[in-house]
Amino acid sequence: MQGTVDGFSYGMVTPLTAYVMACLGAALGLRCVTRSLHDDRSWKPGWLALGAASIGCGIWTMHFIAMIGFQVEESDIRYDVGLTVLSLLVAIAVVGIGVFAVGYRGAGTTTLLVAGVFTGLGVAAMHYIGMAAIRLNGGLRYDTATVALSVLIALVAATAALWAAVAIRGFLTSLGASLVMGGAVSGMHYTGMAAVSVHLHGAVGGPGTGGSAHSLLLPMLIGPVLFLVLAAVVVMFDPLLVLGDGDWNRTASRRAPASRTDRPAWSGGSAFEPPPRRVSPGGESRSPGSGP
């Protein structure tokens, strides 16, 4: 017996919320990758790790917010806790491989393609491991061609996103790239969901094993969402992440007093990297902008 699948049981609330989370994770992740590439003073491993975690958490959060709207009319749905957590770890780890490859090997065509493949596979692996966590009174079956299309979307989206992280520095253009990536990730998810059909086992209405959708997913979403919020706070306090390297340099040059050529210009830096200090003629150490 084939089950009746509804992927939009809450209307457009879950798709729109999921899309926003995917865009937020992509925006934070891409800015962190940009930060590591265009500022030699930054702590590269830290920014790349933050970028990979942001993208991974954004993708995972997007997926499971969308899955809150997934229902099968004839059966309760539950989720295996171990596989649900594993899907998050796989997303961060595999995306991290692509992010670190670009961060350390540069923006060559081969590197971008290889990194894009790894990152895209991370997106797809997270999705299908998350789907494997579903427990219901039946089994899931997939249309092979539609699954292949969803994986292709993930690969193209990931490669384009990494290219954007390398090529785009300005805030507005990077924001646009994040919106596109969020749309591609959401498109990959719903393309993969279109491949799903449910075949029920015997009696209708039997529950699966594990935690129910709401009792498990809602509490588990709290952690990744809080992480994305904290990552956003880090971005807000870092001018190079907000404005982009080129934009910040132009802003700094406009603010520098033209009559004081002896004062070194601060190129922006992170909120956690203080500006260089200068020594006055009397031997007193001063920060730029602290007075004559």
Side-chain angles (χ1 to χ4, degrees):
M1 177 180 177
Q2 186 164 338
T4 305
V5 175
D6 183 4
F8 303 93
S9 59
Y10 292 97
M12 293 303 295
V13 173
T14 48
L16 289 177
T17 306
Y19 171 70
V20 169
M21 297 309 299
C23 291
L24 176 60
L28 296 175
L30 294 181
R31 296 311 292 167
C32 289
V33 175
T34 301
R35 180 68 161 84
S36 71
L37 289 172
H38 299 304
D39 183 18
D40 294 335
R41 297 174 303 168
S42 64
W43 184 46
K44 187 182 289 288
W47 287 116
L48 292 175
L50 181 60
S54 297
I55 295 174
C57 285
I59 296 168
W60 187 90
T61 305
M62 176 270 149
H63 173 84
F64 282 103
I65 287 178
M67 291 306 293
I68 291 176
F70 176 77
Q71 292 184 0
V72 178
E73 183 176 327
E74 297 84 359
S75 176
D76 294 334
I77 295 178
R78 299 179 182 275
Y79 288 84
D80 180 87
V81 177
L83 286 176
T84 302
V85 174
L86 177 63
S87 66
L88 173 62
L89 299 179
V90 167
I92 294 175
V94 183
V95 169
I97 294 175
V99 167
F100 272 80
V102 170
Y104 279 98
R105 297 186 63 86
T109 303
T110 302
T111 300
L112 278 176
L113 290 176
V114 172
V117 168
F118 271 102
T119 305
L121 290 177
V123 175
M126 185 285 309
H127 175 86
Y128 288 105
I129 292 174
M131 294 300 294
I134 293 177
R135 299 290 180 264
L136 46 73
N137 183 36
L140 301 181
R141 297 183 183 178
Y142 295 91
D143 177 74
T144 304
T146 310
V147 169
L149 177 60
S150 71
V151 174
L152 178 62
I153 292 173
L155 296 177
V156 173
T159 304
L162 291 176
W163 172 85
V166 172
I168 297 175
R169 299 191 186 189
F171 175 72
L172 292 179
T173 49
S174 182
L175 177 61
S178 303
L179 295 177
V180 172
M181 183 180 179
V185 170
S186 298
M188 178 270 159
H189 171 86
Y190 285 105
T191 301
M193 295 306 296
V196 174
S197 61
V198 176
H199 293 261
L200 302 172
H201 298 327
V204 174
T209 59
S212 66
H214 292 83
S215 65
L216 174 65
L217 295 184
L218 291 177
M220 290 190 69
L221 285 168
I222 294 175
V225 169
L226 286 178
F227 172 83
L228 290 174
V229 171
L230 292 175
V233 171
V234 172
V235 169
M236 287 192 309
F237 280 96
D238 192 291
L240 285 181
L241 282 171
V242 174
L243 297 174
D245 183 64
D247 293 340
W248 176 257
N249 282 340
R250 287 193 294 270
T251 302
S253 63
R254 285 196 301 267
R255 291 179 178 177
S259 61
R260 298 192 178 184
T261 58
D262 62 325
R263 179 174 298 180
W266 179 37
S267 62
S270 168
F272 305 104
E273 297 172 6
R277 303 181 71 84
R278 66 181 179 86
V279 178
S280 65
E284 182 182 356
S285 177
R286 297 177 180 272
S287 299
S290 61

